[in-house]
Amino acid sequence: AIAQYQFLVDAQPQETWLRSALAHLYYRAGRYDQAIEQFENAIVMEPENWALVDDEVESLVADGQIRTAIERLHALIDEQGDFPDLNVRLADLYSQIGDDDTAMENYRKALDMQPDYLEAHVKLGTHHLVYGRWEDAAESFQQARELNDQTMSNYVGIGVAQAAEGRTEDAMASFDLAVTV
């Protein structure tokens, strides 16, 4: 099973759930150091760990200049390329000005690039609620719940593997992070 999952991870390195499954298999085989490595990789790859921030955009938003902030985000995307977090931020701003279609387009674009983006699912669900799309909101929140469970499982898994390897302090820190999730 480990060899098969390693093959799948090698073939699809962006799929964090495969890394998590491989980490669990390593743990079950008593290969704690490899389990820890795979859990760490899965955690680091989660979108919540790579948010891009632009102070100018946030300053414009704070000043109520939403349309100018939108223009700045489009310029950033043109300069840096498409990143899921930039599209989510853009969708948020379009949602604030009541442009449902463009907000939806940007949420979908972000989720097409990164289907496991927990924050994007939550924000999309909230957007659906604002527009009265109850079933769509429920579906988005259900996906967010599943992703949250996966993230928590990774933190618990790494903590258990660290404890099995005798790294009690690291394990306690990982369990604390699981509690935060």
Side-chain angles (χ1 to χ4, degrees), residues 53-82:
V53 177
D54 183 77
D55 293 335
E56 183 180 347
V57 169
E58 297 312 313
S59 177
L60 290 167
V61 170
D63 289 341
Q65 298 178 46
I66 306 299
R67 292 188 189 278
T68 307
I70 289 171
E71 290 172 15
R72 171 67 184 147
L73 272 173
H74 280 291
L76 280 174
I77 290 170
D78 290 343
E79 292 169 18
Q80 301 175 1
D82 264 339

Side-chain angles (χ1 to χ4, degrees), residues 9-10 16 22 24 45 48 62-63 78 159 174:
V9 166
D10 292 343
T16 56
L22 179 59
H24 284 285
M45 290 173 62
E48 287 68 32
D63 289 341
D78 290 343
S174 295

